[in-house]
Amino acid sequence: ALPMCFGMMSIAKSFMAWYIPVWPVLGDLIMLGCPVIILISMSNVTGIQILVPMGREKTVLYSIICGAVTDLIVNLALIPRYGAVGAAIAASVAELVVLIFQMTVLWKLLRQSLTKIAYWKVLMALMVAAGASFWVLFLNLNHFFILAISACLFFGAYALTLLVVKEELVSEVLGQLANKYLKKFLKR
C-alpha cells in the first residue's frame, strides 16, 4: 500500500491534468486522499484476514460502525467550511479510527510480528522512488508521458532499492520465483 500511496501522490497532478484537465484541483484532492489507501489496506489485513478467520466478525462490525460514525461527525464539521478537502480529511480520520480499533483488539497478537519488519528499508525505498520520479514533473512533456515515465521510475526505483537493501519479503519472493522457473528450465 505504501508504494501505491506514494506513487499515486507523485503522479496525481499529472494524471488529473491529463485525464480531466478542466478540474486541476482534483490532483490535490487525490493527494490528500491517498493516505486512505494505506489505512484501508491495513484494516483489511487486520479485519478481513485476521479477525474474521478468528471468528471475531462482531469486532470488525463494531470497528466499521465506529468509523462510519466518525466519518459522519467529521464530515458534518469540516464539509461546510472546507468542502471536498474536508471530506477527504474525514475519510482518512474515519479509516484511522477503524484501524486503531482493530489494532487495539489485536495488539498482543501483532506486536511480535510488527517488530520484525525492517521499516527503514521500506522508507528508504520510498524516498529513493519519490526522488527518482519527482524530476519528471519539470520536463516539458505531455501529461500522459509524464505519468507513464513517473510511474515506471517510481516503481522501478522502489523495487530496485528493496533488492539492493535485501528486504526480506522481496528476497523470499524472488527466491521462490527463481526456484519455480529454474525447475521448469532444468526439466527441459
Side-chain angles (χ1 to χ4, degrees):
L2 285 172
M4 184 182 291
C5 174
F6 285 96
M8 189 60 172
M9 288 174 83
S10 71
I11 64 170
K13 288 188 180 209
S14 295
F15 178 73
M16 293 317 298
W18 167 69
Y19 191 66
I20 307 177
V22 294
W23 290 324
V25 72
L26 289 179
D28 295 327
L29 289 173
I30 288 174
M31 289 174 63
L32 191 58
C34 278
V36 170
I37 296 170
I38 298 169
L39 297 170
I40 288 176
S41 66
M42 291 176 68
S43 65
N44 177 288
V45 171
T46 57
I48 304 303
Q49 297 179 22
I50 298 175
L51 287 168
V52 169
M54 292 172 62
R56 307 280 303 266
E57 293 90 354
K58 282 187 179 180
T59 303
V60 175
L61 177 64
Y62 295 149
S63 71
I64 293 170
I65 290 170
C66 287
V69 170
T70 301
D71 193 38
L72 178 64
I73 292 168
V74 178
N75 273 327
L76 289 173
L78 296 182
I79 288 177
R81 183 168 181 172
Y82 301 106
V85 170
I89 292 169
S92 292
V93 170
E95 290 302 330
L96 182 61
V97 166
V98 171
L99 181 62
I100 289 172
F101 188 104
Q102 293 176 0
M103 291 291 285
T104 303
V105 170
L106 291 170
W107 180 246
K108 288 181 182 175
L109 178 67
L110 293 177
R111 183 175 45 195
Q112 185 179 13
S113 297
L114 291 174
T115 58
K116 293 180 181 178
I117 298 171
Y119 294 103
W120 70 271
K121 292 179 181 179
V122 174
L123 291 174
M124 183 171 61
L126 286 171
M127 288 188 292
V128 169
S133 67
F134 181 73
W135 69 271
V136 178
L137 299 175
F138 299 107
L139 296 176
N140 190 18
L141 295 174
N142 176 301
H143 292 294
F144 176 77
F145 292 116
I146 289 175
L147 174 67
I149 294 168
S150 291
C152 291
L153 285 174
F154 182 90
F155 290 107
Y158 182 76
L160 187 62
T161 304
L162 288 177
L163 283 172
V164 169
V165 297
K166 298 179 181 168
E167 201 279 328
E168 187 176 325
L169 180 63
V170 173
S171 299
E172 183 179 327
V173 169
L174 285 177
Q176 290 174 354
L177 287 172
N179 286 337
K180 179 181 177 181
Y181 290 110
L182 190 60
K183 286 179 185 176
K184 283 184 178 181
F185 181 74
L186 293 176
K187 285 182 180 179
R188 291 180 183 182

